């Protein structure tokens, strides 16, 4: 457990120089910050929200899939996080379900995850600061040399040697002038934005048996509820929480509304408004139509905010495509592997070569140096990103970016010019199977 002095020392103050700054504390940002700090870089993680974890914390008991691969440890930050969460006991962590779309996942209690991520950062040596939305980048001669944040009347500035954009929406890269793509190859089409919610009082075994044995029946009930005037989501999926009787209700966003941009405040407001009604109505539906296992359930609460699957992506030195995912293209600059399926929700679901290679060049913006992009804002086509977008994979991308940033700082070379074989060696030394 960290002392108050340690914690105080880890909260960053304005104008301090860092070797590596990571913008965004979701799975990718955590992977990046912990890995960079473990490699000896003086590292700062800047997070807009009052908590770390990104979607994993926002959405309540959301399983972090692909934290292991086929049951085997992934090494590096994944193993450190799993060990940390297991150390808190049975309420904090349990193994998740294994289906076509999900797998090798762990359900974490969102509040144990909160403390776990702070402690993971502290133990790695990283600094952090919440309530710090990145609002700008200092760029000199096409090189990022600092990151700006703005919260109410507090503008803060942090000079750095290398910055990593792990904001999901690519906020830092866009502010630095990197060319960006948005949505489905620039068509106004997006994966759904969803307000996830959690229920208690659930007979989870009965619910799972019902869903497995009567796959059509649940959908027919939701159709009937729609005809009866209830607000519904496009689809629902249930994940067993770490606490008895609790399930997290993942969903496909509000039924009847599509094309919402998760980076647009107006669209997000719509999801918050409609999602709140969907959560409340779901409890009424469960009780009125006697959905097996859910008859006695109650709403615990909705997630902290709407959760976003994809928005802006950088235009990088390489763009990962759906053909790379399906065919399993190998790259000499592989720095991570993505496992799972292609999951673009209603737009496309399909198989890919699980464990396909992710090249370092997909993190490097084509223009602008001193910057890497990790996680869902990396360089990919819409479906290239949707291929293996689970949190464990995003953490692997962040981890690789963090190691590369530390190598870049140590060698005094721009991220674009790092010795990728050195990055690969260090990742292997951390136990990563490339
Ligand atoms: C509804 C939903 C359900 C999902 N279900 C699953 C699932 O069951 N299992 C699974 O493994 N994956 C699931 N996913 C996919 C997975 O959650 C994402 O692919 C993953 O979280 C992306 O990681 P990331 O770190 O790139 O982005 P995010 O998790 O989005 O994290 C981005 C972080 O950056 C912060 N940020 C944003 N802007 C700024 C800024 N300007 N300055 C500072 N910080 C900023 C955010 O607050 C956040 O903490 C789901 C996604 C959604 C939306």
């Amino acid at each position: 457990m960290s002392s108050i002095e340690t914690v105080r020392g880890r909260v960053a103050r304005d104008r301090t120089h860092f070797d590596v700054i990571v913008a965004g504390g979701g799975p990718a940002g955590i992977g990046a910050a912990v890995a960079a700090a473990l490699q000896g870089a003086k590292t700062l993680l800047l997070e807009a929200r009052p908590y770390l974890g990104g979607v994993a914390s926002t959405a309540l008991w959301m399983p972090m899939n692909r934290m292991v691969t086929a049951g085997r440890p992934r090494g590096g930050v994944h193993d450190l996080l799993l060990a940390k969460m297991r150390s808190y006991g049975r309420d904090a962590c349990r193994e998740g379900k294994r289906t076509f779309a999900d797998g090798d996942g762990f359900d974490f209690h969102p509040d144990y995850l909160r403390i776990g991520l702070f402690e993971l950062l502290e133990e790695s040596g990283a600094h952090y600061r919440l309530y710090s939305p990145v609002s700008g980048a200092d760029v000199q001669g096409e090189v990022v040399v600092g990151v700006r944040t703005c919260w109410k009347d507090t503008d803060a500035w942090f000079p750095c040697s290398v910055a990593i954009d792990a904001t999901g929406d690519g906020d830092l890269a866009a502010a630095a002038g990197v060319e960006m793509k948005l949505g489905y190859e620039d068509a106004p089409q997006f994966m759904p934005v969803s307000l996830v919610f959690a229920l208690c009082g659930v007979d989870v075994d009965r619910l799972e048996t019902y869903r497995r044995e009567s796959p059509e029946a649940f959908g027919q009930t939701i159709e009937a509820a729609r005809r009866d005037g209830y607000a519904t989501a496009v689809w629902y999926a249930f994940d067993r929480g770490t606490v008895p009787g609790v399930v997290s209700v993942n969903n496909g966003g509000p039924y009847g509304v599509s094309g919402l941009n998760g980076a647009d405040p107006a669209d997000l407001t719509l999801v918050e408004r409609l999602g709140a009604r969907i959560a409340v109505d779901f409890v009424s539906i469960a009780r009125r139509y006697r959905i097996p296992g859910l008859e006695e359930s109650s709403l615990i609460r909705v997630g902290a905010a709407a959760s976003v699957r994809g928005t802006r992506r950088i235009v990088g030195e390489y763009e990962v495509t759906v053909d790379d995912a399906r065919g399993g293209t190998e790259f000499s600059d592989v720095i991570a592997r993505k496992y799972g399926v292609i999951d673009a929700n209603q737009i496309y679901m399909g198989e890919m070569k699980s464990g396909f290679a992710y090249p370092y060049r997909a993190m490097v913006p084509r223009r602008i140096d001193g910057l890497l992009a990790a996680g869902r804002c990396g360089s990919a086509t819409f479906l290239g990103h949707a291929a293996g977008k689970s949190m464990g994979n995003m953490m692997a991308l962040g981890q690789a970016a963090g190691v590369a940033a530390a190598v870049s700082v140590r060698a005094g070379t721009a991220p674009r010019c790092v010795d990728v074989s050195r990055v690969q060696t260090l990742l292997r030394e951390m136990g990563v199977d490339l």
Side-chain angles (χ1 to χ4, degrees):
M1 202 169 63
S2 308
S3 67
I4 291 180
E5 281 65 38
T6 304
V7 172
R8 210 187 273 280
R10 290 305 161 80
V11 178
R13 302 282 157 186
D14 191 14
R15 292 176 187 277
T16 315
H17 177 276
F18 286 90
D19 294 333
V20 177
I21 290 185
V22 179
I30 293 291
V34 171
L38 288 175
Q39 291 299 330
K42 185 181 174 195
T43 303
L44 168 63
L45 188 152
L46 295 168
E47 168 56 51
R49 296 183 195 261
Y51 55 86
L52 300 166
V55 172
S57 300
T58 299
L60 305 175
W61 280 283
M62 186 57 60
M64 290 185 73
N65 292 327
R66 316 296 164 192
M67 285 297 289
V68 294
T69 55
R72 290 198 321 276
R74 278 189 91 153
V77 182
H78 300 76
D79 292 5
L80 293 175
L81 178 59
L82 275 176
K84 169 68 61 192
M85 295 306 294
R86 284 175 169 141
S87 75
Y88 297 138
R90 66 171 189 195
D91 285 353
C93 171
R94 65 177 292 281
E95 215 166 310
K97 64 189 175 190
R98 285 162 190 267
T99 61
F100 167 68
D102 308 311
D104 283 335
F106 285 81
D107 301 321
F108 296 138
H109 189 301
D111 294 325
Y112 285 92
L113 186 61
R114 274 194 186 206
I115 184 63
L117 294 175
F118 281 124
E119 292 186 350
L120 190 61
L121 287 173
E122 285 155 15
E123 287 160 18
S124 72
H127 296 69
Y128 50 81
R129 183 169 152 123
L130 308 182
Y131 296 98
S132 298
V134 168
S135 56
D138 281 344
V139 181
Q140 286 176 7
E142 306 231 311
V143 178
V144 173
V145 295
V147 177
R148 292 182 182 277
T149 65
C150 180
W151 175 258
K152 297 187 183 289
D153 60 352
T154 306
D155 287 322
W157 175 59
F158 300 94
C160 65
S161 302
V162 177
I164 299 174
D165 189 335
T167 61
D169 298 321
D171 293 1
L172 175 59
V178 173
E179 190 187 343
M180 309 295 289
K181 284 193 168 182
L182 175 70
Y184 194 101
E185 314 319 342
D186 286 332
Q189 199 176 2
F190 299 91
M191 286 182 266
V193 183
S194 311
L195 189 61
V196 174
F197 53 95
L199 304 174
C200 61
V202 178
D203 182 338
V204 189
D205 290 336
R206 274 185 65 230
L207 173 64
E208 288 182 349
T209 306
Y210 162 70
R211 293 280 275 158
R212 196 172 47 249
E213 293 181 355
S214 319
E216 309 293 319
F218 179 80
Q220 287 161 1
T221 300
I222 296 301
E223 282 293 337
R226 265 180 208 141
R227 285 194 298 275
D228 288 339
Y230 290 101
T232 59
V234 177
W235 53 260
Y236 299 85
F238 303 91
D239 291 291
R240 192 185 277 258
T242 54
V243 177
V246 166
V247 293
S248 162
V249 188
N250 195 349
N251 63 76
Y255 182 80
V257 187
S258 61
L260 298 181
N261 174 0
D264 179 335
D267 283 355
L268 286 167
T269 304
L270 200 56
V271 176
E272 299 288 353
R273 167 64 185 84
L274 299 175
R277 170 50 68 187
I278 289 167
V280 166
D281 275 11
F282 186 77
V283 176
S284 305
I285 295 168
R287 292 179 186 166
R288 172 169 166 187
Y289 299 89
R290 310 292 301 161
I291 298 177
L294 292 172
E295 304 93 327
E296 304 299 326
S297 62
S298 302
L299 182 63
I300 303 180
R301 63 166 310 160
V302 299
S307 292
V308 177
R309 291 178 171 85
T311 54
R312 284 189 296 209
R313 307 175 301 279
I314 65 157
V315 174
E317 290 286 354
Y318 184 86
E319 185 177 59
V320 175
T321 67
V322 72
D323 289 338
D324 293 330
R326 288 195 188 117
T329 314
E330 287 297 335
F331 300 100
S332 60
D333 61 340
V334 54
I335 39 71
R337 290 192 177 271
K338 287 173 95 185
Y339 298 85
V341 297
I342 306 166
D343 178 2
N345 275 250
Q346 297 94 293
I347 298 171
Y348 183 83
M349 285 283 276
E351 291 193 43
M352 63 180 213
K353 183 169 189 312
S354 190
F356 77 90
Y358 192 94
Y360 177 63
R361 284 161 297 151
M363 298 183 171
V364 181
R366 196 179 291 164
R367 204 174 65 82
I368 301 294
D369 223 320
L371 180 68
L372 295 170
R376 61 183 172 84
C377 56
S379 177
T381 62
F382 179 85
L383 289 180
H385 162 64
K389 68 178 168 40
S390 302
M391 296 189 230
N393 293 325
M394 297 297 118
M395 185 170 275
L397 304 187
Q399 170 172 264
V403 171
V407 169
S408 156
V409 171
R410 207 176 304 147
T413 53
R416 186 182 310 284
C417 304
V418 295
D419 175 1
V420 180
S421 68
R422 179 73 189 135
V423 178
Q424 292 166 331
T425 300
L426 292 172
L427 285 165
R428 288 193 179 102
E429 284 173 10
M430 293 169 77
V432 178
D433 182 4
L434 289 181

